[in-house]
Amino acid sequence: MRYISTRGGMPPKSFSEILLSGLAPDGGLAIPEVYPKIGADELKAWRGMNYQSLAFEILSRFTDDIPAEDLRTIIARTYTREIFGSDEITPLKTLEPGFHILALSNGPTLAFKDIAMQLLGNLFEYTLGKTGAVLNILGATSGDTGSSAEYAMRGKKGIRVFMLSPYGKMSRFQTAQMFSLHEDNIFNIAIRGVFDDCQDIVKAVSNDHVFKQARRIGTVNSINWARVVAQIVYYFKGYFAATQSDDEEVSFAVPSGNFGNICAGHVVRMMGLPIRQLILATNENDVLDEFFKTGVYRPRTTSETRHTSSPSMDISKASNFERFVFDLTGRDADKVAELWSAVDKGLAFDLSKSSLFEKAGDLGFVSGNSNHAARIATIREIYDRYQVLVDTHTADGLKVGQALRDPDVPLICMETAQPAKFSESIQEAIGLEPPLPAGYEDLEDLPQRFVIKDVDVKAIKAYIAEHAGD
Ligand SMILES: *Cc1c(COP(=O)(O)O)cnc(C)c1O
């Protein structure tokens, strides 16, 4: 398995070579030269497997330069009952026949990003350990990525984490989760701006190749291919749990922001799993919904990006979307480079008059958006009807999923966070505090450790230079 760039400017590389870098040298994203095809024999063999064995089968197809024994050890250390709360790792909850929730948020930070990030932490430590190299991880978060990355990397040898977050814009719980970490290798940087300012700083630093190389800067943002691969596993797991035989179709509803989670779903469909619909749900920040409805992809400005009650989906442009468009164009790297030369300047592109836009439907995609009133109503409705409490992001997925699903095909809605993280909205919906999982009761009272900085690339670089490992 070799990896190329969505913009065509990178010689093919191995998994280990792309693991530690962020953007490709040409500004594009790493993507497999070809997707592995999964046939009837594999599905049959995989159906009865536990999460760890399934993860090995899938990951080994994408990471073929890691020896099998080492990969098995890494997986066994990552996907444990201790870290994810059950042997199933991502249990399926059936609300009623043909209507399911795939629980992805039982990891340490109570959000689905732990599934990929815990693996990434162990992959990074393993790869760095082989050469004695160090890595300074620079990331931007609107909430869940940051704490998930920090919990995955805390105390890991050779790794430091510099995590930018929009100051005062995460939920109390999210803030407490991140800022209460006191490990020496964790640096919380609160930025006076919104998430996209943070993301732009990360991009600016990453585009300074001299600085990036000298300071050994890497990333854990959702553009990291290993994260997409880790997420592929639970689509298969959910499929097997919701079906009896390997010719049945399912649909997935995915609350989306940076297009990371549903990008994995897209790859899974390309690999051959019988997925009817990939239902993409946005919140009020509907840049992706707009694309799938109109063919126009118009990144929003910072001032157009709204702060919502499903904050982990508050994005103005979706960094992983480029991978999907690469496939949509029939893997035309020149076309992608041309489209993203506009996007990188904050401009829109319009595929509405191109036959490419119709192809998005052929690839299973439909989309819808949600808003605060709809998600509150959905939380209440799901609670009343099934006595199941969901968080605000999952509610967006459920709302759009129920509206757009093909009624003849089982629907699996991705649960991306625990309700305890968003207690204000849960209160509003059902008039009760969501129960705090054991061990999280005192989180918001713990002392917090962070610095506050302006939107100033130079100042951030100076801070990193001062604190980076080398
Ligand atoms: C990150 C996140 C999302 C969005 O996932 P993407 O991969 O960015 O599309 C949805 N819900 C929650 C709770 C998240 O943390």
Side-chain angles (χ1 to χ4, degrees):
M1 167 71 66
R2 296 191 308 168
Y3 292 87
I4 53 176
S5 164
T6 49
R7 300 191 195 173
M10 179 174 84
K13 292 193 171 176
S14 71
F15 176 79
S16 297
E17 286 174 302
I18 61 154
L19 173 67
L20 296 176
S21 52
L23 294 171
D26 61 355
L29 307 185
I31 196 158
E33 251 180 340
V34 285
Y35 296 124
K37 287 282 180 225
I38 302 307
D41 290 347
E42 277 131 331
L43 286 182
K44 194 162 162 231
W46 293 1
R47 177 168 282 276
M49 284 184 178
N50 65 18
Y51 197 95
Q52 296 77 8
S53 302
L54 185 60
F56 176 77
E57 291 300 329
I58 293 166
L59 294 178
S60 60
R61 281 165 170 76
F62 290 94
T63 63
D64 55 8
D65 59 334
I66 296 179
E69 268 324 290
D70 294 354
L71 184 61
R72 274 189 207 282
T73 307
I74 290 168
I75 289 170
R77 278 226 314 272
T78 304
Y79 296 111
T80 66
R81 163 186 277 276
E82 289 65 42
I83 298 174
F84 288 98
S86 74
D87 292 327
E88 286 180 282
I89 309 299
T90 60
L92 189 80
K93 290 186 224 171
T94 297
L95 300 179
E96 61 182 67
F99 184 27
H100 315 274
I101 289 179
L102 190 62
L104 305 179
S105 57
N106 294 316
T109 71
L110 310 178
F112 90 99
K113 293 187 176 72
D114 289 333
I115 294 178
M117 212 66 87
Q118 289 287 323
L119 179 74
L120 208 60
N122 287 325
L123 282 172
F124 278 7
E125 193 175 47
Y126 167 81
T127 307
L128 293 167
K130 288 194 136 177
T131 58
V134 302
L135 179 68
N136 295 297
I137 292 169
L138 174 62
T141 186
S142 58
D144 293 327
T145 315
S147 49
S148 186
E150 293 183 356
Y151 280 77
M153 306 296 165
R154 64 195 288 200
K156 289 246 172 340
K157 249 191 107 195
I159 302 177
R160 294 188 190 186
V161 179
F162 296 86
M163 188 57 64
L164 313 185
S165 59
Y167 181 49
K169 300 217 167 55
M170 299 188 293
S171 79
R172 255 195 344 256
F173 187 93
Q174 286 176 315
T175 307
Q177 216 170 20
M178 271 182 60
F179 293 0
S180 65
L181 285 181
H182 288 257
E183 271 81 5
D184 288 342
N185 70 329
I186 303 294
F187 299 88
N188 287 308
I189 307 172
I191 298 289
R192 292 191 186 92
V194 294
F195 168 62
D196 290 291
D197 296 321
C198 302
Q199 208 171 27
D200 287 344
I201 295 171
V202 170
K203 277 206 168 169
V205 175
S206 298
N207 284 336
D208 179 343
H209 298 301
V210 175
F211 183 85
K212 190 180 164 192
Q213 208 138 29
R215 297 298 169 188
R216 302 190 151 278
I217 303 291
T219 176
V220 292
N221 275 341
S222 62
I223 56 170
N224 187 297
W225 174 255
R227 286 184 56 189
V228 177
V229 174
Q231 293 167 2
I232 286 173
V233 178
Y234 58 68
Y235 278 85
F236 279 93
K237 192 79 182 124
Y239 172 77
F240 291 131
T243 58
Q244 311 289 317
S245 71
D246 302 333
D247 48 13
E248 287 175 54
E249 286 187 312
V250 299
S251 296
F252 287 96
V254 188
S256 293
N258 265 318
F259 205 84
N261 195 350
I262 204 163
C263 185
H266 161 67
V267 174
V268 167
R269 198 171 180 280
M270 301 294 273
M271 290 168 74
L273 196 74
I275 297 175
R276 173 76 64 90
Q277 294 171 297
L278 286 166
I279 304 173
L280 182 147
T282 70
N283 62 18
E284 291 89 332
N285 297 293
D286 60 352
V287 51
L288 284 168
D289 179 40
E290 183 176 270
F291 172 79
F292 284 101
K293 283 187 176 141
T294 67
V296 175
Y297 182 64
R298 185 178 69 82
R300 309 300 199 249
T301 61
T302 297
S303 59
E304 284 174 295
T305 307
R306 299 187 39 198
H307 181 210
T308 75
S309 49
S310 46
S312 297
M313 295 155 66
D314 292 349
I315 53 100
S316 63
K317 47 184 180 268
S319 44
N320 260 291
F321 184 54
E322 186 171 337
R323 288 195 169 104
F324 170 74
V325 173
F326 183 64
D327 286 338
L328 187 67
T329 61
R331 313 204 118 208
D332 182 345
D334 292 338
K335 181 74 186 171
V336 172
E338 176 200 319
L339 296 175
W340 256 265
S341 71
V343 172
D344 287 342
K345 292 190 205 97
L347 302 173
F349 64 73
D350 180 357
L351 299 182
S352 65
K353 290 176 195 70
S354 147
S355 59
L356 293 177
F357 178 50
E358 281 158 39
K359 227 183 107 194
D362 300 340
L363 293 174
F365 275 82
V366 292
S367 78
N369 64 67
S370 178
N371 56 41
H372 183 73
R375 77 181 65 96
I376 294 300
T378 303
I379 292 169
R380 187 181 303 130
E381 175 200 311
I382 296 290
Y383 186 70
D384 288 346
R385 199 153 15 119
Y386 306 107
Q387 291 75 57
V388 168
L389 194 55
V390 295
D391 91 292
T392 49
H393 305 76
T394 307
D396 288 336
L398 283 161
K399 186 251 169 187
V400 175
Q402 286 178 287
L404 299 183
R405 69 177 291 188
D406 180 333
D408 300 328
V409 176
L411 176 67
I412 301 174
C413 292
M414 297 305 200
E415 179 203 62
T416 56
Q418 294 282 316
K421 298 186 84 166
F422 303 97
S423 56
E424 293 91 342
S425 296
I426 301 299
Q427 268 281 2
E428 187 181 342
I430 62 165
L432 298 170
E433 279 286 320
L436 271 177
Y440 293 82
E441 296 86 352
D442 303 326
L443 188 68
E444 289 174 20
D445 303 327
L446 297 176
Q448 302 191 351
R449 179 168 173 261
F450 61 101
V451 296
I452 304 171
K453 299 272 175 197
D454 288 325
V455 181
D456 178 348
V457 174
K458 243 197 193 144
I460 303 299
K461 276 186 183 165
Y463 183 83
I464 294 170
E466 190 183 333
H467 295 98
D470 53 32

